Structures are given as structure tokens and as C-alpha cells.
Amino acid sequence: MTSHGFVLCAVTGMAVLALAGAPAGAEGTFKVKVPPGKWKALKVPNQPKGVSVTVEAKSNGAVAVAFVDSGEYGHLPAVTRPLFQGRIDQHLSFSVTIPSAGDYFVVLDNRTAEEPRAVTVTVRRARSDQARAREDSIGSFQRQLDEFQRNLNQVFLFDPVPLRIKECGAPKAFTTSSAIVLCREYASMLQETLGDRTKAGDAILFTVFHEFGHVLLAQWKYPAYDNEEVADEFATAAMVLLGQKDRVRAKAEYFAAKPSSAEAIAKAFRDDRHPLSAQRARNILRWADDPSLVRKWQTLFVPHLQTAALEQYLQQPAPLMDRGLIAQELASRR
Ligand SMILES: [Zn+2]
């Protein structure tokens, strides 16, 4: 380990997080019985322009199949301008690109046969570009969070915990007994309200430190690990120790100076235990500017720092923690 610059890297990535909203792909499987001499059409409703729809059909015998738009549907069973036309023997699969938004139909034509046909039709819509971009950004954010935890674990002694970014249906971040969960909606909401990736990144970084505060304090058997103010103070002290004072200050200064933003976010966070109030921001500023903050926390930090980190802190020209305490801890480990 050469420096604690890691947090910057992990966090620069977090600031890049961009999450767009788009519905996921539509999918369905239908079982259709087509009597001899008859035809049936299956509606594939509300297809957006430009998506790719894949149809897979399995049949117990030969049957004609076509994929048509709603204009063509009015002329069925005559098919003049199909997007696809073919014949299933047992199995058939085809894809079409939707030329304009609207309803579409899979037509199964058994008019020339003397036997009924049982057909299973599966319709899949490829994810839209927006949905794909959103999934990619969740994946990249997840990788950054994993990297963040690995880096944090190079400094502090703790058992890694599952750290997940996922869709929750509400803007939240929370810690359970088994995992830290950051909801996608939380990150999106911060970005929308703050309108700035750097500010959103700072706020998300503080949140991650806060949630790790609960986890690390619990693992270290600190009695008030569940207390929100304690987790905030821990997060501030840890960020100062790791050279992130500017980022924790920037975040808190913004919320202290813009109670309207804090209020807007507090409203969105109705169900959350962590309202971003101006008062909370003022506490964080006060702690961040207090030169004795890290000294106050050092009796808890020092026994829970990795040996390599302790050695590094011992060599710093202006140590944030007591050299004597660090040397004593290192001696006890030899
Ligand atoms: Zn909390």
C-alpha cells in the first residue's frame, strides 16, 4: 500500500454514475390451439419503435406463421405486407425490428390442415438502449463499490460485508444485519436533485462511509453502532483520516448553505432513517473542522487498523494520530 489515494479513484467513478429510467423488455409465452381450417392472431401490444422482437414458436405439426402490424390485422387472414412470413414444421424462430410504435400480431394460419395444431409461442423484446445503459451503469457502480470495500479493507480490519446496488422502488440506503444496500433510486434522486455529478458523488461517498460506520462499529463491538449521529461522526473522522476532508466538507457545506436542497431530499427520503438536514450538515462541518476529531477516534481506530496502515501512519510527518499509541499497537502485534 503506497497511499490512500484509492478513495479518490473509487469515488471519481461514483461521481460518474448516470442512471436513466426505462422499462425493461417485455416477454411472454402463450399456448395456442388452432383448429383445422382456422387461423388465430396473438397480440403483441405497445411495441416501441426500433426495438428488436424475437418470436420463437413450437408446434405439433406444420402451420403458417406471419408477423404483421395493426393495419395489416384488419385484412386478415389475407397477408399482403408482413414483417415476417414463414412456416413452422416443429420449431421456428425469427426476429423483427419494429418500424413504428404500436400493436403487432403473430398470426398462426391452419386453414389448409385437417388436424388441430398446438402451438407454443414465446415473444421476447430485446432490452432497449436506455435499459441496457441503466443496467450497465448499475453494474459499473457495483464494481466501484466492491473496489471501494476492498480498498477500505486494506486500511481497516473488518470482515467484508455484501454491498449491493439494486432497484428498491424507493430512494433509500440502509444497512441490514447481513448487507449494505444502496438503492438505484437513491443515487438517481441525489443526481436529479443536486443536478451535478460531483456533488452527487460526494453525497454518495459520505453515505457509503456512514453505512460502513454502522457495520464497522458493530463488528468492533462499539455500543452506539446503531446511532445515526455516531455513524455520521465516524464517517467524518474516517474520511478525514483517509485524506477526504475536502469532499466531506464540500458535501456538508452545500447542504448547510442550501437548506432547500436538503429539504427536497429529506422529503424524498420520507421513509429513510437518514434525512439530509441542514442541522446534520452543520454537525459534519463542525466535526470536519475540529483538529482533535481524529485524536478523539484514535483509541477506536488504532486497534482496528491493518498493520501496513499503522506503519504508514507512523511515518507521516504530521501524524493525525498519536505516534506513541500507534507504536504501542504495532509492538503488541509482533
Ligand atoms: Zn445510518
Side-chain angles (χ1 to χ4, degrees), residues 173 175 210-211 214 226-228 231-232 273-274 280:
T175 302
H210 172 103
E211 297 302 335
H214 288 305
D226 211 20
N227 182 287
E228 297 308 329
D232 271 356
R273 307 168 59 193
H274 308 105
R280 193 177 161 203

Short mmCIF file of all heavy atoms in Angstrom, two decimals, residues 173 175 210-211 214 226-228 231-232 273-274 280, ligand 1:
data_model
loop_
_atom_site.label_atom_id
_atom_site.label_comp_id
_atom_site.label_asym_id
_atom_site.label_seq_id
_atom_site.Cartn_x
_atom_site.Cartn_y
_atom_site.Cartn_z
N ALA A 173 -30.95 4.16 1.35
CA ALA A 173 -29.69 3.47 1.56
C ALA A 173 -29.80 2.92 2.97
O ALA A 173 -30.25 3.63 3.87
CB ALA A 173 -28.52 4.44 1.46
N THR A 175 -28.60 -0.37 6.02
CA THR A 175 -27.75 -1.47 6.41
C THR A 175 -28.61 -2.47 7.17
O THR A 175 -29.34 -2.09 8.07
CB THR A 175 -26.62 -0.96 7.32
OG1 THR A 175 -25.89 0.03 6.59
CG2 THR A 175 -25.68 -2.07 7.72
N HIS A 210 -20.90 6.36 5.88
CA HIS A 210 -21.85 6.31 7.00
C HIS A 210 -22.35 4.88 7.22
O HIS A 210 -22.36 4.38 8.35
CB HIS A 210 -23.03 7.26 6.71
CG HIS A 210 -24.16 7.15 7.69
ND1 HIS A 210 -24.38 8.07 8.69
CD2 HIS A 210 -25.14 6.21 7.83
CE1 HIS A 210 -25.45 7.70 9.40
NE2 HIS A 210 -25.94 6.58 8.89
N GLU A 211 -22.74 4.22 6.11
CA GLU A 211 -23.25 2.84 6.24
C GLU A 211 -22.15 1.90 6.73
O GLU A 211 -22.40 1.02 7.55
CB GLU A 211 -23.83 2.35 4.92
CG GLU A 211 -25.06 3.14 4.42
CD GLU A 211 -26.22 3.18 5.39
OE1 GLU A 211 -26.34 2.26 6.23
OE2 GLU A 211 -27.01 4.14 5.34
N HIS A 214 -21.83 2.07 10.51
CA HIS A 214 -22.68 1.14 11.28
C HIS A 214 -22.05 -0.26 11.33
O HIS A 214 -22.00 -0.90 12.37
CB HIS A 214 -24.06 1.02 10.63
CG HIS A 214 -24.93 2.24 10.79
ND1 HIS A 214 -25.23 2.79 12.01
CD2 HIS A 214 -25.59 2.99 9.86
CE1 HIS A 214 -26.05 3.84 11.82
NE2 HIS A 214 -26.26 3.98 10.54
N ASP A 226 -25.48 1.74 16.27
CA ASP A 226 -26.75 1.95 15.56
C ASP A 226 -27.17 3.43 15.54
O ASP A 226 -28.13 3.78 14.86
CB ASP A 226 -27.83 1.11 16.25
CG ASP A 226 -28.88 0.66 15.27
OD1 ASP A 226 -28.58 0.67 14.05
OD2 ASP A 226 -30.00 0.32 15.72
N ASN A 227 -26.46 4.25 16.30
CA ASN A 227 -26.84 5.66 16.42
C ASN A 227 -26.45 6.44 15.17
O ASN A 227 -25.31 6.35 14.71
CB ASN A 227 -26.14 6.23 17.67
CG ASN A 227 -26.51 7.67 17.91
OD1 ASN A 227 -26.07 8.56 17.18
ND2 ASN A 227 -27.31 7.91 18.93
N GLU A 228 -27.39 7.21 14.63
CA GLU A 228 -27.14 7.91 13.35
C GLU A 228 -26.08 9.00 13.49
O GLU A 228 -25.26 9.19 12.59
CB GLU A 228 -28.44 8.51 12.81
CG GLU A 228 -29.51 7.48 12.46
CD GLU A 228 -28.99 6.38 11.55
OE1 GLU A 228 -28.09 6.65 10.75
OE2 GLU A 228 -29.47 5.24 11.67
N ALA A 231 -22.70 7.38 13.64
CA ALA A 231 -22.27 6.92 12.31
C ALA A 231 -21.80 8.10 11.46
O ALA A 231 -20.83 7.99 10.71
CB ALA A 231 -23.40 6.16 11.62
N ASP A 232 -22.48 9.25 11.57
CA ASP A 232 -22.05 10.46 10.85
C ASP A 232 -20.67 10.92 11.33
O ASP A 232 -19.82 11.28 10.51
CB ASP A 232 -23.05 11.60 11.10
CG ASP A 232 -24.19 11.63 10.08
OD1 ASP A 232 -24.16 10.81 9.14
OD2 ASP A 232 -25.11 12.47 10.24
N ARG A 273 -34.00 6.59 7.41
CA ARG A 273 -33.55 7.00 8.74
C ARG A 273 -32.52 8.12 8.64
O ARG A 273 -32.02 8.59 9.64
CB ARG A 273 -32.86 5.83 9.45
CG ARG A 273 -33.66 4.57 9.50
CD ARG A 273 -32.79 3.41 9.94
NE ARG A 273 -32.20 3.64 11.27
CZ ARG A 273 -31.22 2.91 11.77
NH1 ARG A 273 -30.67 1.96 11.08
NH2 ARG A 273 -30.76 3.16 12.97
N HIS A 274 -32.18 8.51 7.42
CA HIS A 274 -31.05 9.43 7.25
C HIS A 274 -31.44 10.72 6.55
O HIS A 274 -30.96 10.99 5.47
CB HIS A 274 -29.95 8.76 6.44
CG HIS A 274 -29.54 7.43 6.99
ND1 HIS A 274 -29.90 6.26 6.42
CD2 HIS A 274 -28.81 7.13 8.07
CE1 HIS A 274 -29.40 5.25 7.12
NE2 HIS A 274 -28.75 5.75 8.12
N ARG A 280 -27.84 18.38 10.33
CA ARG A 280 -26.90 17.27 10.21
C ARG A 280 -25.64 17.75 9.47
O ARG A 280 -24.51 17.42 9.83
CB ARG A 280 -27.58 16.14 9.44
CG ARG A 280 -26.87 14.84 9.51
CD ARG A 280 -27.66 13.77 8.78
NE ARG A 280 -26.80 12.65 8.47
CZ ARG A 280 -27.03 11.76 7.50
NH1 ARG A 280 -28.11 11.88 6.75
NH2 ARG A 280 -26.19 10.79 7.28
ZN ZN B 1 -27.44 5.25 9.46
#
